[in-house]
Amino acid sequence: MSARQAIAAVTASFTEHHLPMDPAPSDGPLGWTGYADSRARATDRTGEEESVLHGVAVVDGLSCVLVSFEFGFLGGSLGARTGDRLEAAYALAREQRLPLVSLVATGGSRMQEGMIALVQLQRVAAASALLRAGGLPQIAVLRDPTTGGGWATVGAGADVVLALPGAQVGFAGSRVRPAGADPYAYSAEGQLAAGQIDAIVPPGELPRTLSLWLRALTVPGPAQAAPVPAALSATGLPETGWDAVEQARSAARPRAEAYLDAYFDHRLPLNGDRCGGTDPGLLSGVGLRGGQPVAYVAQCGTATRPAGYRAAARVIRLADRLGLPVLTLIDTPGAANDAEAERTGAGAAIADTFAAIASARVPVTTLVIGEGGSGGALALAAPGNTHVTTDSYFSVIAPELAAAILKRGPDQVRSTADQLRLRPQDLVELGIARSVVGPAGPAGAESRSAPGSGNR
């Protein structure tokens, strides 16, 4: 698709903004022989004066600043005038307090402008940082191809990264990759598997998907705390600590996916840690509940891996910057503790998640829906605003491991579970949880935490 066809594919309402074309040396800043002729041919072929155009669009009733790349103009490459237009688009979004949506198709920096072209990446990065600091979201749609500096700034630098099926996506373009490089690594599908993009969206679904994301990331007024989800089972309170453990480990117990489906009208997943990893045992994203957006992070009952904690921290910080309340669902026997988890930074990833919640300025609400295993679970818990279901427990460590640490035999695991006081009712009494949540919602004693801590 051309730049204008890409715009027409997502909206019929687009008002283009133009920049004056300053006089420039006919063959560019380097005096590259034939560059002026190449530009003239590109204009004749595409009808465009540069590789990027921008303006204000309305997508399903929601305004945004829209940027579209014209790959037919010198491969959608970035030169000085491209940088002018991109910088103007980010400034326009800032001035009008609008989200920025980029429809990217680029081969990278323009050879005929040398280092003048390359430093445009710094201009784009600075403009993007200003928009981010202003609390405004950025969404990128990766078309075919999206490579080089355009991918490493406009594309990968966005808050939400979507891609069209089969798009070539990677920092290295097809002509500069190592011989024999796996082409899958440079595809939208490969980047999704590596946690670098959030979703692959077929062209026919793109307008609807963009509409939902714009609705989810544009919040009027200060964020209100997310309502506590109702429990999805009617299991009674456990009599003993071991009963609590068994109820939480029951295969029949509702899991995170069921809670999220019951809680949200629409759910928009965010994928991966942006460091090459994904954790299928952790779900994160933004959901719409009664038209109101809520960011979510949910453990799925497995040991959470470093990529999962990094993804969680990413979503919590995004929500904090955009003013979205956060809901976390805890259900893990603990953090993954195998050698691979240690090699990929388990400790640092958990620390970063603790820090993201500790520094969040938006309300964070937590519901423990199953196992609450040690620091791997606590990293996602909101201090002063954590609730528990009747089929959950929260413990400093699993009873079996606690017994092993204390040099107790297997016959003492059950009594150790009692001593740990890990039952839902114990957690409320100890002031760890605010309430025990049943099918109708929260019930029970409030925690004895400091006044006002429940707002976090």
Side-chain angles (χ1 to χ4, degrees), residues 202-386:
E205 297 177 15
L206 191 55
R208 172 66 172 159
T209 302
L210 279 178
S211 168
L212 287 171
W213 269 117
L214 288 170
R215 211 167 294 279
L217 299 181
T218 308
V219 188
Q224 300 297 314
V228 181
L232 297 184
S233 69
T235 304
L237 286 170
E239 292 187 11
T240 69
W242 188 249
D243 289 340
V245 173
E246 288 190 319
Q247 287 183 183
R249 293 177 179 174
S250 169
R253 174 181 58 76
R255 305 285 161 155
E257 193 99 38
Y259 274 92
L260 295 174
D261 288 344
Y263 191 77
F264 290 116
D265 305 317
H266 297 285
R267 189 150 51 90
L268 299 162
L270 289 167
N271 172 66
D273 65 356
R274 295 298 186 266
C275 297
T278 61
D279 181 357
L282 184 131
L283 304 175
S284 63
V286 180
L288 290 168
R289 175 184 168 88
Q292 295 301 307
V294 176
Y296 65 86
V297 176
Q299 292 169 317
C300 299
T302 58
T304 304
R305 305 204 64 78
Y309 290 112
R310 285 191 286 266
R314 172 198 166 206
V315 173
I316 292 164
R317 290 198 171 101
L318 173 63
D320 190 52
R321 181 161 54 79
L322 299 181
L324 303 177
V326 178
L327 170 69
T328 65
L329 301 180
I330 289 178
D331 183 11
T332 180
N337 59 5
D338 53 76
E340 180 63 19
E342 296 296 343
R343 278 194 295 267
T344 53
I350 294 168
D352 196 39
T353 307
F354 271 116
I357 289 207
S359 59
R361 296 160 297 179
V362 294
V364 181
T365 302
T366 297
L367 180 63
V368 185
I369 62 171
E371 290 193 82
S374 193
L378 189 67
L380 289 176
N385 199 19
T386 291

Side-chain angles (χ1 to χ4, degrees), residues 4 43 65 109 388 399:
R4 296 185 188 275
T43 295
V65 170
S109 299
V388 290

Side-chain angles (χ1 to χ4, degrees), residues 346-449:
I350 294 168
D352 196 39
T353 307
F354 271 116
I357 289 207
S359 59
R361 296 160 297 179
V362 294
V364 181
T365 302
T366 297
L367 180 63
V368 185
I369 62 171
E371 290 193 82
S374 193
L378 189 67
L380 289 176
N385 199 19
T386 291
H387 306 258
V388 290
T389 64
T390 54
D391 46 3
S392 70
Y393 78 86
F394 215 145
S395 176
V396 63
I397 199 167
E400 299 93 332
L401 300 178
I405 290 170
L406 297 171
K407 299 181 180 180
R408 296 178 177 179
D411 59 327
Q412 293 180 283
V413 168
R414 291 173 180 256
S415 60
T416 301
D418 286 331
Q419 287 182 286
L420 287 169
R421 298 200 63 194
L422 49 71
R423 299 175 304 167
Q425 59 268 45
D426 295 329
L427 296 169
V428 171
E429 186 177 338
L430 290 169
I432 304 301
R434 290 185 62 175
S435 70
V436 177
V437 176
E446 294 290 319
S447 75
R448 290 176 287 194
S449 53

Side-chain angles (χ1 to χ4, degrees), residues 77-100:
S77 57
L78 278 69
R81 286 175 170 172
T82 321
D84 292 340
R85 294 184 174 207
L86 288 170
E87 191 174 57
Y90 283 92
L92 180 64
R94 241 178 25 254
E95 291 160 6
Q96 299 199 11
R97 301 293 303 166
L98 292 175
L100 182 87

